[in-house]
Amino acid sequence: MKDFINYVIYLVGIGLLVFAVYTIRKIPDMVSDKLKTNREFEFNKALQIDEFYRKDGNLQNIMLEWTHYAIVNDAMDSLNTDKGIKKLQVLVQKTVGYGSSRTVKLLTEMFQEVYQDNADNKSTKSGESGFSTMVIMAMIVSSLKEDFTGQKIEPLDILKIKINDYVDYEDSFKRILDEINTKLGVNI
């Protein structure tokens, strides 16, 4: 009887050992499957979000409108009308809704610049203040381009499209760009 009990214990021990080895060998597969499931979930979620944003053409319209303001020399003149102000308000709402946190921070910098100019009762913008607004707008376009397409473009390249004497003011533009990036906490 004692031999029988020892034999049963021996068999149970071997069974537990086989089960433990089998389980240990399956752990990497289980972890791999779990990681694969998580990656698929995140990928599908990203696709769903991307489809939501892109389906109605809002992204393209937002990008094109900001690019218009940043590149066309007299585009800002439309902001002197009620219709132009309303159009800008809608654009800002959409930009806040669809843009990244960096883009929204750039919007706040631009509007704070405008508010400060108005508070100082400047009837005409000084060159430096106008440069700041142009640089921030170029940065907004650059940020939106990266938000919507993943492609990075330099804000100063956008200014080169707009300004025919860019070289004369390049140092000022670079300094303003660096100041804004410092405010936003971006290291270049």
Side-chain angles (χ1 to χ4, degrees), residues 6 22 28 31 43 54-55 78 87 113 126 129 154 163:
N6 284 340
Y22 175 79
V31 169
F43 178 72
R54 294 184 190 278
K55 70 181 174 186
S78 69
K87 184 178 176 183
E113 179 80 24
S126 67
S129 176
E154 293 300 320
I163 302 170

Side-chain angles (χ1 to χ4, degrees), residues 64-82:
L64 291 176
E65 286 184 51
W66 279 112
T67 303
H68 176 76
Y69 284 126
I71 293 176
V72 176
N73 285 328
D74 59 351
M76 298 301 283
D77 293 343
S78 69
L79 299 179
N80 294 330
T81 66
D82 288 340

Side-chain angles (χ1 to χ4, degrees), residues 72-102:
V72 176
N73 285 328
D74 59 351
M76 298 301 283
D77 293 343
S78 69
L79 299 179
N80 294 330
T81 66
D82 288 340
K83 185 178 177 182
I85 291 171
K86 180 66 177 165
K87 184 178 176 183
L88 180 64
Q89 288 172 339
V90 170
L91 178 60
V92 169
Q93 287 173 344
K94 288 179 182 179
T95 305
V96 169
Y98 291 113
S100 66
S101 62
R102 175 177 167 77

Side-chain angles (χ1 to χ4, degrees), residues 151-175:
Q151 296 175 342
K152 179 106 172 99
I153 56 173
E154 293 300 320
L156 296 180
D157 288 341
I158 294 167
L159 289 178
K160 290 176 187 176
I161 295 169
K162 179 177 184 166
I163 302 170
N164 60 3
D165 55 352
Y166 172 86
V167 178
D168 296 340
Y169 303 103
E170 184 172 22
D171 291 337
S172 295
F173 292 138
K174 286 181 179 179
R175 184 181 47 73

Side-chain angles (χ1 to χ4, degrees), residues 116-131:
Q116 187 62 44
D117 285 349
N118 288 339
D120 293 343
N121 292 324
K122 294 180 182 175
S123 58
T124 59
K125 281 193 162 189
S126 67
E128 195 68 23
S129 176
F131 285 175

